[in-house]
Amino acid sequence: VVFIVIMKYLGNILWFLLGGFLISLVYFVVGFLYCVTIIGIPFGLQHFKMVGLSIMPFGKTFFAAK
């Protein structure tokens, strides 16, 4: 169990350093640009959710919305 936790954090650090920061920056900028228009606000909010996922993707769990 400890090994899995260590690998999760190591994977997140490597992901962040090798491109996760750039991907999250792009999601943030595009989300901001979508929020400028009234029609684009829901899409911009979804992009802001993707910022957190793109920074640290390992260890996240997805659930279907009901």
Side-chain angles (χ1 to χ4, degrees):
V1 174
V2 175
F3 178 73
I4 295 171
V5 173
I6 291 171
M7 292 305 293
K8 180 177 70 170
Y9 287 117
L10 182 63
N12 281 329
I13 291 170
L14 287 173
W15 173 262
F16 183 78
L17 294 175
L18 296 176
F21 175 72
L22 294 175
I23 294 171
S24 64
L25 184 65
V26 169
Y27 273 124
F28 181 77
V29 170
V30 171
F32 178 76
L33 292 175
Y34 271 129
C35 285
V36 171
T37 65
I38 293 175
I39 296 173
I41 290 175
F43 299 106
L45 294 177
Q46 294 304 315
H47 274 79
F48 290 143
K49 290 179 185 177
M50 290 297 293
V51 169
L53 181 64
S54 64
I55 289 177
M56 298 179 72
F58 297 103
K60 302 284 181 171
T61 306
F62 293 98
F63 296 103
K66 292 185 178 184

